Amino acid sequence: MAKTLVISPVTRINGFWRLDVQVEGGRIVDAQSSGIYIRGMELILQKRDPRDAVYLSQRICGICSSAHAMAGSLAFEQAYHIRIPHNGMVIRNLIFGADLLQNHIRHFYFLVMPDFVKGPEEPPFIPRYESDYRFTKQETNRLNEHFLQSIDISRLCHEMLVIFGGKVPHNHGILIGGASVPPNADNVRLFLSRLERIRTFIEERLLPDMELLSRKYEDYYHLGIGPQRFLTYGMFPNEEKPGEFHLPPGVLVNGQLTELKPDAIHEMVKYSWYRDEDRTEDIMRGETHLDPDKPGAYSWIKAPRYQGQVMETGPLARARVSGSYTNGVSVMDRLYARVLEAKKVAALMQDWLNKLEPGKPIYTDYEPLRNAQGIGLTDAMRGTLGHWVEVENYHVKSYQIITPSAWNMSPRDDHDQPGAVETALIGTPIADTENPVEVGRVARSFDPCSSCATHVYTPDGRISEYMIP
Ligand code: NFE
């Protein structure tokens, strides 16, 4: 008979995500991924001044807020037909790149390594599941030392972001029309000096530690296989080739690479606590009606799908679509692709710094239109992020956001297909149901963040909380 294990909270960034897994014969035979808080950002943004939407939508999350600044700006720039200057685009990419490095470094040392490396016998390392720790004492000490060093490096990434972003999280440097802080010899030098220290850490700590992890836990090259369908919207707009990205967009299914078709994105809600009418083919027409008593539903996350299919999104998707990573599609491949991406983006950032032209414009002034529509598609750190906006009478009429974690952590869809994390969990061996450390290892390889996928909703200034009974 199957034994049910409930793991909640799952992420180490924040709570509000729950996994229910059924274990039978030493393996997971079924898994349910539940976002247990409602996000409601779409409702908060209605009737707002579009110029505020870029700042407000960043509040969806504290770790990837620059991604929302990018997606929101791109959506309104499409709606208002704005072309931003070369310098503005480079500065935005530098802000976004700094945030990506902070996310990827933090993910490896903070969110993943405690599942594999025995930390000290004190919080935040305890309480924990006891795991099959495989590192020698010397390796363990070294990795725990790097964990502490990564705190400083993660702060350095934030310091770097602040140079052009003003503050962190929720920067003021990315806005509709371009960027807000012009480059000069001083701020470029400050940025570069931090970037060089971060690159040294990536080369001398992160990459060797990833390599060591992959050797010690080689079996994780066979675990956590997701849907094997990959989606990316592209990341970091190319300042020299309008419409292109430094990390290219694409869809990879059965080894076939096809062009991204935004019209193929839709959302289903059969197992989500939303009214059935919220199922939508056209995201621009998407609606958000809460239905907390819906029979059979188990998540506040909707089920985004591409041509009706479950997709995995994130650094592994980007690397497979660009062709830079071909090894596999497992837990370890997911982790490796992320670390290699940190190295790649840090190198790109150094090139971008050289492309800044002090004294040239960073911002295009514009007249807001009375009525307009736009879509902002970019990858965030964890995968594809889209903002769909409609403006009516100078105010936001409708705002729909689909985050990376909604793609990866989605519940089943209208055809009962499990989401990406659910798929990856099914079949995973569990050695000890009292210490099911394998669940976290598989789930966290996606770098899940339920704050982006779910959120607190405050109708009438009151925080409503909906939890699974
Ligand atoms: Ni809260 Fe986010 C990222 C966005 S959702 S972290 O990356 O967008 O997963």
Side-chain angles (χ1 to χ4, degrees):
M1 200 181 124
K3 181 171 180 180
T4 304
L5 307 178
V6 177
I7 302 190
S8 177
V10 185
T11 78
R12 294 191 167 100
I13 308 179
N14 55 33
F16 327 142
W17 187 35
R18 159 174 165 151
L19 290 172
D20 291 51
V21 297
Q22 307 279 327
V23 180
E24 199 170 343
R27 281 187 189 274
I28 297 177
V29 291
D30 199 7
Q32 277 195 345
S33 155
S34 307
I36 52 176
Y37 259 46
I38 172 176
R39 187 180 69 200
M41 188 52 88
E42 284 85 353
L43 304 175
I44 292 168
L45 287 167
Q46 279 171 14
K47 303 193 185 127
R48 303 283 179 170
D49 186 316
R51 286 164 298 189
D52 290 338
V54 169
Y55 300 116
L56 293 175
S57 67
Q58 287 191 64
R59 267 72 188 171
I60 214 166
C61 183
I63 194 162
C64 69
S65 46
S66 57
H68 292 277
M70 285 292 273
S73 300
L74 290 170
F76 285 106
E77 283 154 8
Q78 187 188 80
Y80 295 156
H81 315 290
I82 305 167
R83 259 184 92 163
I84 72 167
H86 166 284
N87 250 0
M89 209 178 270
V90 176
I91 289 174
R92 283 174 17 167
N93 283 346
L94 286 166
I95 293 171
F96 196 18
D99 219 5
L100 176 138
L101 295 181
Q102 175 265 122
N103 273 255
H104 284 9
I105 292 168
R106 209 183 272 193
H107 178 255
F108 184 80
Y109 287 103
F110 273 62
L111 310 179
V112 165
M113 284 310 256
D115 286 333
F116 297 93
V117 185
K118 189 164 188 167
E121 301 293 329
E122 57 188 74
F125 302 98
I126 53 169
R128 65 183 164 218
Y129 291 134
E130 286 312 319
S131 124
D132 62 333
Y133 299 118
R134 302 181 198 168
F135 294 107
T136 63
K137 193 160 187 302
Q138 209 184 9
E139 289 164 343
T140 301
N141 289 345
R142 199 170 71 231
L143 290 166
N144 283 329
E145 214 175 283
H146 296 176
F147 174 98
L148 294 175
Q149 290 169 5
S150 77
I151 299 174
D152 285 341
I153 296 297
S154 169
R155 194 196 57 221
L156 212 54
C157 294
H158 271 168
E159 282 180 24
M160 192 163 68
L161 195 161
V162 163
I163 293 170
F164 292 120
K167 69 185 270 290
V168 68
H170 315 135
N171 76 83
H172 290 171
I174 300 174
L175 71 167
I176 305 171
S180 64
V181 177
N184 57 45
D186 207 29
N187 56 25
V188 169
R189 187 185 49 79
L190 286 174
F191 200 101
L192 182 61
S193 68
R194 282 160 180 77
L195 182 59
E196 280 171 348
R197 283 172 61 194
I198 295 162
R199 288 189 76 182
T200 304
F201 182 84
I202 292 172
E203 289 288 345
E204 295 180 3
R205 300 282 186 271
L206 183 59
L207 277 161
D209 290 348
M210 179 66 234
E211 209 273 321
L212 179 66
L213 175 73
S214 73
R215 266 191 290 116
K216 291 278 170 152
Y217 289 86
E218 224 179 345
D219 42 332
Y220 279 82
Y221 274 117
H222 305 285
L223 298 180
I225 311 288
Q228 305 193 61
R229 284 183 288 269
F230 297 99
L231 177 69
T232 164
Y233 298 161
M235 196 170 191
F236 302 117
N238 191 313
E239 66 288 345
E240 279 159 15
K241 299 181 190 151
E244 292 188 23
F245 291 81
H246 287 282
L247 307 184
V251 182
L252 189 68
V253 176
N254 296 329
Q256 290 291 325
L257 185 62
T258 52
E259 214 172 284
L260 171 72
K261 294 195 186 80
D263 289 354
I265 301 164
H266 43 264
E267 280 190 308
M268 305 186 193
V269 294
K270 180 175 173 188
Y271 292 98
S272 310
W273 285 303
Y274 299 94
R275 295 215 297 256
D276 289 343
E277 71 215 54
D278 289 358
R279 179 190 198 288
T280 178
E281 290 297 328
D282 175 4
I283 305 297
M284 194 66 87
R285 305 265 82 78
E287 296 199 15
T288 307
H289 299 98
L290 316 184
D291 189 358
D293 300 317
K294 183 170 165 179
Y298 61 91
S299 185
W300 284 111
I301 303 174
K302 294 180 182 177
R305 295 294 184 260
Y306 187 86
Q307 290 177 331
Q309 301 288 339
V310 184
M311 306 300 285
E312 173 170 345
T313 181
L316 181 61
R318 290 193 282 271
R320 291 205 71 94
V321 164
S322 74
S324 66
Y325 191 91
T326 51
N327 187 59
V329 293
S330 63
V331 166
M332 208 48 82
D333 294 298
R334 223 167 265 130
L335 300 180
Y336 228 127
R338 187 173 290 108
V339 166
L340 291 172
E341 186 175 78
K343 179 183 154 128
K344 184 197 276 186
V345 170
L348 281 170
M349 288 167 72
Q350 197 143 351
D351 285 349
W352 297 337
L353 277 176
N354 293 328
K355 290 185 172 163
L356 285 172
E357 296 175 292
K360 294 266 179 78
I362 56 168
Y363 174 77
T364 305
D365 208 2
Y366 64 94
E367 278 296 316
L369 299 177
R370 176 185 283 273
N371 299 311
Q373 281 189 357
I375 305 176
L377 300 181
T378 172
D379 266 33
M381 305 69 173
R382 290 162 189 73
T384 53
L385 171 65
H387 285 207
W388 283 256
V389 299
E390 186 173 0
V391 176
E392 190 179 79
N393 207 14
Y394 298 111
H395 285 82
V396 172
K397 179 180 179 211
S398 138
Y399 211 114
Q400 288 292 319
I401 300 173
I402 305 182
T403 61
S405 292
W407 283 96
N408 288 333
M409 296 157 67
S410 87
R412 279 157 173 76
D413 58 31
D414 293 11
H415 311 297
D416 290 359
Q417 300 177 100
V421 171
E422 291 178 337
T423 304
L425 283 168
I426 295 169
T428 302
I430 302 291
D432 170 11
T433 52
E434 296 302 311
N435 289 286
V437 69
E438 299 88 345
V439 176
R441 287 175 178 170
V442 171
R444 292 187 190 111
S445 68
F446 287 84
D447 193 3
C449 174
S450 54
S451 135
C452 281
T454 60
H455 215 274
V456 179
Y457 170 47
T458 59
D460 312 323
R462 182 174 55 86
I463 296 180
S464 290
E465 192 177 306
Y466 297 100
M467 306 284 284
I468 297 175

